Short mmCIF file of all heavy atoms in Angstrom, two decimals:
data_model
loop_
_atom_site.label_atom_id
_atom_site.label_comp_id
_atom_site.label_asym_id
_atom_site.label_seq_id
_atom_site.Cartn_x
_atom_site.Cartn_y
_atom_site.Cartn_z
N ALA G 140 28.32 -34.59 -45.00
CA ALA G 140 26.94 -34.86 -45.38
C ALA G 140 26.51 -36.26 -44.94
O ALA G 140 25.39 -36.46 -44.42
CB ALA G 140 26.78 -34.72 -46.90
N GLU G 141 27.38 -37.25 -45.12
CA GLU G 141 27.04 -38.61 -44.70
C GLU G 141 26.98 -38.72 -43.18
O GLU G 141 26.15 -39.46 -42.65
CB GLU G 141 28.06 -39.60 -45.26
CG GLU G 141 28.11 -39.66 -46.78
CD GLU G 141 26.75 -39.93 -47.38
OE1 GLU G 141 25.97 -40.69 -46.78
OE2 GLU G 141 26.46 -39.39 -48.47
N TRP G 142 27.83 -37.98 -42.49
CA TRP G 142 27.78 -38.00 -41.02
C TRP G 142 26.47 -37.41 -40.50
O TRP G 142 25.85 -37.97 -39.60
CB TRP G 142 28.97 -37.22 -40.47
CG TRP G 142 30.22 -38.06 -40.39
CD1 TRP G 142 30.35 -39.37 -40.73
CD2 TRP G 142 31.51 -37.64 -39.93
NE1 TRP G 142 31.63 -39.80 -40.52
CE2 TRP G 142 32.37 -38.76 -40.03
CE3 TRP G 142 32.02 -36.44 -39.45
CZ2 TRP G 142 33.71 -38.70 -39.66
CZ3 TRP G 142 33.37 -36.38 -39.09
CH2 TRP G 142 34.19 -37.50 -39.18
N VAL G 143 26.07 -36.29 -41.06
CA VAL G 143 24.82 -35.66 -40.63
C VAL G 143 23.64 -36.59 -40.92
O VAL G 143 22.71 -36.72 -40.11
CB VAL G 143 24.63 -34.29 -41.31
CG1 VAL G 143 23.24 -33.74 -41.01
CG2 VAL G 143 25.70 -33.32 -40.83
N THR G 144 23.67 -37.25 -42.07
CA THR G 144 22.61 -38.19 -42.40
C THR G 144 22.57 -39.34 -41.40
O THR G 144 21.50 -39.75 -40.93
CB THR G 144 22.80 -38.75 -43.82
OG1 THR G 144 22.84 -37.66 -44.75
CG2 THR G 144 21.67 -39.69 -44.20
N SER G 145 23.72 -39.87 -41.05
CA SER G 145 23.79 -40.94 -40.05
C SER G 145 23.26 -40.48 -38.70
O SER G 145 22.53 -41.20 -38.02
CB SER G 145 25.24 -41.44 -39.91
OG SER G 145 25.72 -41.97 -41.12
N LEU G 146 23.62 -39.26 -38.32
CA LEU G 146 23.14 -38.72 -37.05
C LEU G 146 21.63 -38.51 -37.07
O LEU G 146 20.97 -38.62 -36.03
CB LEU G 146 23.86 -37.41 -36.73
CG LEU G 146 25.35 -37.53 -36.41
CD1 LEU G 146 25.97 -36.16 -36.20
CD2 LEU G 146 25.57 -38.39 -35.18
N ALA G 147 21.08 -38.22 -38.24
CA ALA G 147 19.63 -38.06 -38.34
C ALA G 147 18.92 -39.38 -38.03
O ALA G 147 17.88 -39.41 -37.35
CB ALA G 147 19.26 -37.57 -39.74
N PHE G 148 19.48 -40.48 -38.52
CA PHE G 148 18.90 -41.79 -38.23
C PHE G 148 19.04 -42.13 -36.74
O PHE G 148 18.13 -42.69 -36.13
CB PHE G 148 19.56 -42.86 -39.09
CG PHE G 148 19.06 -42.90 -40.49
CD1 PHE G 148 19.72 -42.23 -41.50
CD2 PHE G 148 17.91 -43.60 -40.81
CE1 PHE G 148 19.25 -42.26 -42.81
CE2 PHE G 148 17.43 -43.65 -42.11
CZ PHE G 148 18.10 -42.97 -43.11
N VAL G 149 20.19 -41.78 -36.15
CA VAL G 149 20.37 -42.03 -34.72
C VAL G 149 19.38 -41.19 -33.91
O VAL G 149 18.79 -41.66 -32.93
CB VAL G 149 21.81 -41.73 -34.29
CG1 VAL G 149 21.97 -41.85 -32.77
CG2 VAL G 149 22.78 -42.68 -34.98
N ALA G 150 19.21 -39.92 -34.31
CA ALA G 150 18.27 -39.04 -33.61
C ALA G 150 16.85 -39.59 -33.68
O ALA G 150 16.07 -39.46 -32.73
CB ALA G 150 18.34 -37.64 -34.21
N LEU G 151 16.50 -40.20 -34.82
CA LEU G 151 15.18 -40.79 -34.97
C LEU G 151 14.99 -41.96 -34.01
O LEU G 151 13.88 -42.23 -33.55
CB LEU G 151 14.98 -41.25 -36.41
CG LEU G 151 13.57 -41.66 -36.84
CD1 LEU G 151 12.63 -40.46 -36.77
CD2 LEU G 151 13.58 -42.23 -38.24
N ALA G 152 16.09 -42.64 -33.67
CA ALA G 152 16.01 -43.80 -32.78
C ALA G 152 16.12 -43.43 -31.31
O ALA G 152 15.78 -44.25 -30.44
CB ALA G 152 17.12 -44.79 -33.14
N LEU G 153 16.57 -42.22 -31.00
CA LEU G 153 16.77 -41.84 -29.61
C LEU G 153 15.51 -41.94 -28.75
O LEU G 153 15.58 -42.41 -27.61
CB LEU G 153 17.36 -40.43 -29.54
CG LEU G 153 18.87 -40.33 -29.77
CD1 LEU G 153 19.32 -38.88 -29.67
CD2 LEU G 153 19.64 -41.19 -28.78
N PRO G 154 14.34 -41.48 -29.24
CA PRO G 154 13.13 -41.63 -28.40
C PRO G 154 12.86 -43.08 -28.00
O PRO G 154 12.48 -43.36 -26.85
CB PRO G 154 12.01 -41.06 -29.29
CG PRO G 154 12.71 -40.12 -30.20
CD PRO G 154 14.04 -40.74 -30.47
N ILE G 155 13.07 -44.01 -28.92
CA ILE G 155 12.85 -45.42 -28.61
C ILE G 155 13.84 -45.88 -27.55
O ILE G 155 13.49 -46.58 -26.59
CB ILE G 155 12.97 -46.29 -29.88
CG1 ILE G 155 11.86 -45.90 -30.87
CG2 ILE G 155 12.89 -47.77 -29.55
CD1 ILE G 155 11.94 -46.65 -32.19
N LEU G 156 15.11 -45.48 -27.71
CA LEU G 156 16.12 -45.86 -26.74
C LEU G 156 15.81 -45.29 -25.36
O LEU G 156 15.95 -45.99 -24.34
CB LEU G 156 17.50 -45.36 -27.19
CG LEU G 156 18.19 -46.16 -28.31
CD1 LEU G 156 19.45 -45.43 -28.76
CD2 LEU G 156 18.53 -47.56 -27.84
N LEU G 157 15.38 -44.05 -25.31
CA LEU G 157 15.09 -43.43 -24.02
C LEU G 157 13.89 -44.07 -23.34
O LEU G 157 13.89 -44.27 -22.12
CB LEU G 157 14.86 -41.92 -24.21
CG LEU G 157 16.09 -41.11 -24.65
CD1 LEU G 157 15.73 -39.64 -24.86
CD2 LEU G 157 17.19 -41.24 -23.60
N VAL G 158 12.87 -44.39 -24.12
CA VAL G 158 11.69 -45.06 -23.54
C VAL G 158 12.08 -46.42 -22.96
O VAL G 158 11.69 -46.78 -21.84
CB VAL G 158 10.58 -45.20 -24.59
CG1 VAL G 158 9.47 -46.12 -24.08
CG2 VAL G 158 10.00 -43.84 -24.95
N VAL G 159 12.85 -47.17 -23.71
CA VAL G 159 13.29 -48.49 -23.24
C VAL G 159 14.16 -48.34 -21.99
O VAL G 159 14.04 -49.12 -21.03
CB VAL G 159 14.06 -49.23 -24.35
CG1 VAL G 159 14.71 -50.50 -23.82
CG2 VAL G 159 13.13 -49.56 -25.51
N ALA G 160 15.05 -47.34 -21.99
CA ALA G 160 15.95 -47.15 -20.85
C ALA G 160 15.19 -46.77 -19.59
O ALA G 160 15.44 -47.31 -18.51
CB ALA G 160 16.99 -46.09 -21.19
N VAL G 161 14.24 -45.84 -19.72
CA VAL G 161 13.47 -45.40 -18.55
C VAL G 161 12.55 -46.51 -18.06
O VAL G 161 12.48 -46.80 -16.86
CB VAL G 161 12.66 -44.13 -18.89
CG1 VAL G 161 11.73 -43.77 -17.74
CG2 VAL G 161 13.60 -42.97 -19.19
N ALA G 162 11.85 -47.16 -18.98
CA ALA G 162 10.92 -48.23 -18.58
C ALA G 162 11.66 -49.43 -18.01
O ALA G 162 11.14 -50.12 -17.12
CB ALA G 162 10.10 -48.66 -19.80
N GLY G 163 12.88 -49.68 -18.49
CA GLY G 163 13.62 -50.84 -18.02
C GLY G 163 14.57 -50.56 -16.88
O GLY G 163 15.26 -51.48 -16.42
N GLY G 164 14.60 -49.31 -16.41
CA GLY G 164 15.47 -48.98 -15.30
C GLY G 164 16.95 -49.10 -15.61
O GLY G 164 17.75 -49.49 -14.75
N VAL G 165 17.34 -48.78 -16.84
CA VAL G 165 18.75 -48.87 -17.23
C VAL G 165 19.52 -47.69 -16.62
O VAL G 165 19.05 -46.55 -16.65
CB VAL G 165 18.89 -48.86 -18.76
CG1 VAL G 165 20.35 -49.02 -19.17
CG2 VAL G 165 18.05 -49.97 -19.38
N ALA G 166 20.69 -47.97 -16.07
CA ALA G 166 21.50 -46.93 -15.43
C ALA G 166 21.92 -45.86 -16.45
O ALA G 166 22.22 -46.18 -17.60
CB ALA G 166 22.73 -47.55 -14.78
N ALA G 167 21.93 -44.61 -15.99
CA ALA G 167 22.28 -43.49 -16.87
C ALA G 167 23.67 -43.63 -17.50
O ALA G 167 23.83 -43.36 -18.70
CB ALA G 167 22.17 -42.17 -16.11
N PRO G 168 24.71 -44.06 -16.75
CA PRO G 168 26.02 -44.22 -17.39
C PRO G 168 26.01 -45.22 -18.53
O PRO G 168 26.72 -45.05 -19.53
CB PRO G 168 26.92 -44.70 -16.24
CG PRO G 168 26.26 -44.20 -15.00
CD PRO G 168 24.79 -44.28 -15.28
N VAL G 169 25.20 -46.28 -18.41
CA VAL G 169 25.11 -47.28 -19.47
C VAL G 169 24.48 -46.66 -20.71
O VAL G 169 24.94 -46.87 -21.84
CB VAL G 169 24.30 -48.51 -19.01
CG1 VAL G 169 24.14 -49.50 -20.16
CG2 VAL G 169 24.98 -49.17 -17.83
N VAL G 170 23.41 -45.87 -20.51
CA VAL G 170 22.73 -45.23 -21.64
C VAL G 170 23.66 -44.26 -22.34
O VAL G 170 23.83 -44.31 -23.57
CB VAL G 170 21.46 -44.51 -21.15
CG1 VAL G 170 20.79 -43.77 -22.31
CG2 VAL G 170 20.48 -45.50 -20.52
N ILE G 171 24.28 -43.37 -21.58
CA ILE G 171 25.14 -42.34 -22.17
C ILE G 171 26.36 -42.97 -22.84
O ILE G 171 26.72 -42.64 -23.98
CB ILE G 171 25.57 -41.33 -21.09
CG1 ILE G 171 24.34 -40.60 -20.54
CG2 ILE G 171 26.57 -40.33 -21.66
CD1 ILE G 171 24.64 -39.70 -19.36
N GLY G 172 27.01 -43.89 -22.13
CA GLY G 172 28.23 -44.50 -22.67
C GLY G 172 27.98 -45.32 -23.92
O GLY G 172 28.73 -45.22 -24.90
N SER G 173 26.93 -46.14 -23.91
CA SER G 173 26.66 -47.00 -25.07
C SER G 173 26.21 -46.19 -26.28
O SER G 173 26.62 -46.48 -27.41
CB SER G 173 25.60 -48.04 -24.70
OG SER G 173 24.38 -47.43 -24.30
N VAL G 174 25.39 -45.17 -26.07
CA VAL G 174 24.94 -44.33 -27.20
C VAL G 174 26.12 -43.54 -27.78
O VAL G 174 26.25 -43.40 -29.00
CB VAL G 174 23.80 -43.39 -26.76
CG1 VAL G 174 23.49 -42.38 -27.87
CG2 VAL G 174 22.55 -44.18 -26.41
N ALA G 175 27.00 -43.05 -26.91
CA ALA G 175 28.16 -42.29 -27.38
C ALA G 175 29.08 -43.15 -28.24
O ALA G 175 29.51 -42.73 -29.33
CB ALA G 175 28.92 -41.70 -26.19
N ILE G 176 29.38 -44.37 -27.78
CA ILE G 176 30.27 -45.23 -28.55
C ILE G 176 29.57 -45.73 -29.81
O ILE G 176 30.21 -45.94 -30.84
CB ILE G 176 30.77 -46.40 -27.68
CG1 ILE G 176 31.94 -47.12 -28.39
CG2 ILE G 176 29.66 -47.38 -27.38
CD1 ILE G 176 33.17 -46.27 -28.54
N LEU G 177 28.25 -45.90 -29.75
CA LEU G 177 27.49 -46.29 -30.94
C LEU G 177 27.60 -45.22 -32.02
O LEU G 177 27.86 -45.53 -33.20
CB LEU G 177 26.03 -46.53 -30.58
CG LEU G 177 25.07 -46.75 -31.76
CD1 LEU G 177 25.38 -48.07 -32.45
CD2 LEU G 177 23.62 -46.72 -31.29
N ILE G 178 27.43 -43.96 -31.63
CA ILE G 178 27.53 -42.86 -32.60
C ILE G 178 28.93 -42.81 -33.20
O ILE G 178 29.11 -42.67 -34.42
CB ILE G 178 27.17 -41.53 -31.93
CG1 ILE G 178 25.67 -41.50 -31.57
CG2 ILE G 178 27.53 -40.35 -32.83
CD1 ILE G 178 25.26 -40.28 -30.78
N GLY G 179 29.96 -42.93 -32.35
CA GLY G 179 31.32 -42.90 -32.84
C GLY G 179 31.60 -44.03 -33.83
O GLY G 179 32.26 -43.82 -34.86
N GLU G 180 31.07 -45.22 -33.54
CA GLU G 180 31.30 -46.36 -34.42
C GLU G 180 30.58 -46.17 -35.76
O GLU G 180 31.15 -46.46 -36.82
CB GLU G 180 30.80 -47.63 -33.74
CG GLU G 180 30.94 -48.89 -34.56
CD GLU G 180 32.38 -49.22 -34.90
OE1 GLU G 180 33.30 -48.64 -34.29
OE2 GLU G 180 32.59 -50.06 -35.80
N ILE G 181 29.36 -45.67 -35.73
CA ILE G 181 28.62 -45.43 -36.97
C ILE G 181 29.33 -44.39 -37.84
O ILE G 181 29.43 -44.54 -39.07
CB ILE G 181 27.18 -44.99 -36.65
CG1 ILE G 181 26.39 -46.17 -36.07
CG2 ILE G 181 26.48 -44.45 -37.90
CD1 ILE G 181 24.98 -45.81 -35.63
N LEU G 182 29.86 -43.34 -37.22
CA LEU G 182 30.56 -42.31 -37.98
C LEU G 182 31.86 -42.84 -38.58
O LEU G 182 32.24 -42.49 -39.71
CB LEU G 182 30.85 -41.10 -37.08
CG LEU G 182 29.62 -40.36 -36.55
CD1 LEU G 182 30.05 -39.12 -35.77
CD2 LEU G 182 28.67 -39.97 -37.66
N LEU G 183 32.56 -43.70 -37.85
CA LEU G 183 33.80 -44.27 -38.39
C LEU G 183 33.52 -45.18 -39.58
O LEU G 183 34.23 -45.14 -40.59
CB LEU G 183 34.53 -45.06 -37.30
CG LEU G 183 35.49 -44.27 -36.41
CD1 LEU G 183 36.08 -45.17 -35.34
CD2 LEU G 183 36.59 -43.63 -37.24
#
Side-chain angles (χ1 to χ4, degrees):
E141 298 305 325
W142 276 359
V143 172
T144 303
S145 298
L146 291 176
F148 281 95
V149 174
L151 191 64
L153 279 180
I155 296 177
L156 283 173
L157 293 178
V158 169
V159 172
V161 173
V165 183
V169 176
V170 177
I171 297 173
S173 60
V174 171
I176 193 65
L177 172 68
I178 292 174
E180 179 62 14
I181 290 176
L182 296 185
L183 273 177

